[in-house]
Amino acid sequence: MGRSDDMMDDENHPAYTMGRAAEIVGCTQDFLRRLGAAGLIDPHRSAGGHRRYSRGQLRLAARAQQMCAQGTDLAAACRIIALEDQLAEAQRRPSRPHS
């Protein structure tokens, strides 16, 4: 498998421009900028300084967009998503026996 195939399988590869990311998520480019400012996503910057988004970041943005569309404040949506992801990560780790 070549390098380009590896990148296509990589959830964290910054493959999407801001315009395409906004199209996929169904939001505005400003919404994506605000998610970055809120710390939910940290898009990669190209050599020219343009934001590039990964599939994983688009999933987070879509979750935030859905919550905001249902009336949740942006900051609260970002915090809820971060906590949900922390919980999911903790649940994936094997439990250690207590002594």
Side-chain angles (χ1 to χ4, degrees), residues 7-92:
M7 289 186 294
M8 293 302 290
D9 292 335
D10 183 358
E11 167 105 350
N12 298 309
H13 177 69
Y16 302 97
T17 63
M18 177 179 270
R20 182 68 181 129
E23 224 177 89
I24 291 168
V25 172
C27 67
T28 64
Q29 292 182 17
D30 182 59
F31 184 78
L32 292 175
R33 284 187 203 94
R34 292 186 342 218
L35 291 178
L40 182 64
I41 56 177
D42 184 19
H44 174 78
R45 294 289 183 142
S46 70
H50 300 281
R51 292 173 179 87
R52 303 285 293 196
Y53 297 87
S54 68
R55 285 192 326 251
Q57 291 171 329
L58 295 187
R59 274 195 267 289
L60 292 175
R63 285 169 60 192
Q65 193 274 338
Q66 183 180 36
M67 292 176 79
C68 290
Q70 293 172 348
T72 305
D73 173 73
L74 179 70
C78 291
R79 184 69 182 139
I80 289 166
I81 291 167
L83 290 170
E84 287 174 345
D85 286 350
Q86 288 174 10
L87 177 60
E89 177 62 30
Q91 290 173 333
R92 281 191 291 270

